[in-house]
Amino acid sequence: MIGKLTIGALGVLAVPAIAIITAFSVMTGANACIGTSAGGMLADDAPVPAVARGWVAEVRAGCPDLSETWVAAVIAQESGFRPDAHADDSNGGTWGLLQLNASIWQANYGHSWSADLNGDGLWDVKDPDIHATVAGHYLCQRLEGVRKTRTAHPGWASSSIPVLDALIVAHNAGESRLATYPAIPEVTRLFIENVNTRSAQWSADSLSGAVLENPDPALTSIRSADPSPSGCVPGLGDGDGDVAVPPGTPTDVATAVSNAMAYVGVTSGWYQLCDRLACRAYGYIGSGYPSAKAHWHEMVASGHARPGDRCPPLGSFVFFDTGRPFGHVSIVVQADPGRCDPEQIEVTSNSAFDSATGNHGGVYLLTFARLNSFYLGGHGYLGWSDPICRGTHLPASAVHPLPSGT
């Protein structure tokens, strides 16, 4: 797979990459998967019972497009993880982990609520393993219906909200409510709010910030050409990605962008190493700082940071508060001076879509808007800094991409 890096009037540099992922060039199915599953693994300390984690996995087996955190948050909202939860309503009530009504259960299971096909004396709708399996298939069908509705009606207000919020509207209030959004029942609005809050609080920080950046160059990695991905779209990234470097760009910045793009598509080796990855583009073995957060604080103290500035220039470092101890940083490989549109600014990042691809410490190309959405509900951005690193320089003969420990 070849990604193109255009450098003004200097022509085109071919930058080798296994898979380059952008918000505008990947296949539709892959993009849809990114929108629902990225960054969605449950943290070890999330308040989800151990047995319920198994039910979450069973729901995802029926609908891998959904993230662990979202599924867990929906089950918590619907039943508090109680398989026998029941609620009465004007339509005959709902049962089980996902509070499915009689018609939905019949349509997806083929049998009534009171069916006990395994003869264990428990209605199958109250059997958490059976219910989770049926619910997974139901949610995937409903998600597909929501996606089709959004495609058919791009002008509806509901077509511009996150697709999982739209799925909650359809699940909780009915797909007809997508046409009336934002006029939805208050209970549905609170449902969305609670699920989004829990999803953010319960998410494992698979991108960065959970452990101290390892400055030890003895750490090595293997670049795998066949990661045998287990995520919702195994072929995620089978598209081309292009970034353009304008004429007059300083040579060091143009070279850094070229180097950064060379790592896009690497499938392993960069887990928890965001600061090292950013500085690698400028020819360093490591950043020389213990973490991205420490790097940011040093940039602020030395006057090299622009806190809160949402128009980072090409080649700059953008920093985020992740809600974890050590933060995140990425390098800007596509700027948007003048408009500063976060959907047009692009960065590279480690692990961003690992949960969707099955990679571990892969490197991806994504928009600033997408990356920002991963942190603290879209409020984690700290600002940008000049690309200053203090680690050891790589040999001048180094050819990127290189393993993280080189």
Side-chain angles (χ1 to χ4, degrees):
M1 189 62 60
I2 299 296
K4 292 180 180 178
L5 180 117
T6 307
I7 305 185
L10 300 180
V12 175
L13 295 180
V15 182
I18 296 173
I20 291 184
I21 300 174
T22 73
F24 54 83
S25 66
V26 297
M27 68 184 87
T28 301
N31 217 9
C33 170
I34 290 171
T36 56
S37 71
M41 294 185 290
L42 276 171
D44 291 339
D45 59 356
V48 178
V51 66
R53 291 173 184 258
W55 304 334
V56 169
E58 289 174 29
V59 171
R60 291 198 68 242
C63 193
D65 276 19
L66 302 176
S67 70
E68 290 181 357
T69 50
W70 188 88
V71 172
V74 169
I75 295 176
Q77 180 69 21
E78 288 283 34
S79 65
F81 303 111
R82 289 175 45 231
D84 62 347
H86 175 65
D88 289 317
D89 61 27
S90 59
N91 296 317
T94 54
W95 273 107
L97 295 175
L98 271 295
Q99 290 293 282
L100 303 182
N101 64 32
S103 62
I104 287 175
W105 184 259
Q106 178 76 39
N108 288 272
Y109 189 51
H111 301 279
S112 69
W113 269 346
S114 59
D116 178 19
L117 301 189
N118 60 6
D120 64 354
L122 183 69
W123 287 8
D124 292 343
V125 71
K126 294 187 282 185
D127 182 312
D129 295 316
I130 296 174
H131 187 104
T133 299
V134 174
H137 291 290
Y138 152 71
L139 287 171
C140 237
Q141 291 176 3
R142 178 135 275 182
L143 177 59
E144 181 62 22
V146 167
R147 286 171 172 162
K148 288 181 178 178
T149 297
R150 288 157 69 92
T151 299
H153 302 283
W156 286 4
S158 63
S159 296
S160 63
I161 65 176
V163 68
L164 291 184
D165 289 358
L167 177 56
I168 291 175
V169 172
H171 167 66
N172 185 253
E175 289 188 18
S176 62
R177 289 290 190 172
L178 295 175
T180 68
Y181 186 88
I184 58 175
E186 178 65 8
V187 67
T188 305
R189 187 191 68 77
L190 290 175
F191 194 131
I192 293 171
E193 182 178 310
N194 290 340
V195 167
N196 287 339
T197 297
R198 286 176 174 139
S199 292
Q201 292 174 344
W202 296 355
S203 178
D205 186 5
S206 62
L207 303 185
S208 64
V211 298
L212 194 67
E213 185 92 3
N214 186 348
D216 182 1
L219 178 67
T220 59
S221 65
I222 298 174
R223 184 179 183 217
S224 170
D226 181 13
S228 300
S230 57
C232 56
V233 181
L236 188 62
D238 290 337
D240 292 328
D242 300 328
V243 299
V245 177
T249 297
T251 301
D252 62 333
V253 173
T255 299
V257 172
S258 176
N259 290 342
M261 290 291 289
Y263 289 86
V264 174
V266 171
T267 60
S268 65
W270 292 94
Y271 180 68
Q272 301 288 2
L273 295 175
C274 62
D275 205 26
R276 179 178 297 190
L277 180 63
C279 287
R280 180 60 57 92
Y282 281 92
Y284 291 85
I285 293 176
S287 72
Y289 300 91
S291 68
K293 181 175 286 188
H295 194 165
W296 169 249
H297 287 321
E298 176 63 26
M299 294 299 96
V300 172
S302 61
H304 289 285
R306 305 296 185 274
D309 188 333
R310 302 179 74 86
C311 199
L314 188 67
S316 65
F317 293 162
V318 286
F319 291 83
F320 298 85
D321 178 359
T322 66
R324 297 285 177 138
F326 303 115
H328 181 74
V329 61
S330 288
I331 181 173
V332 175
V333 295
Q334 181 78 72
D336 189 35
R339 294 185 307 164
C340 306
D341 184 349
E343 296 287 353
Q344 299 302 317
I345 299 168
E346 294 185 64
V347 300
T348 65
S349 179
N350 60 313
S351 300
F353 302 129
D354 278 1
S355 64
T357 60
N359 295 338
H360 184 72
V363 182
Y364 308 88
L365 179 69
L366 64 160
T367 66
F368 173 87
R370 177 83 75 181
L371 183 60
N372 190 38
S373 72
F374 293 160
Y375 299 118
L376 303 184
H379 300 288
Y381 178 61
L382 295 172
W384 62 268
S385 82
D386 297 325
I388 295 175
C389 304
R390 63 183 187 191
T392 302
H393 282 279
L394 289 164
S397 60
V399 177
H400 300 273
L402 291 167
S404 60
T406 301

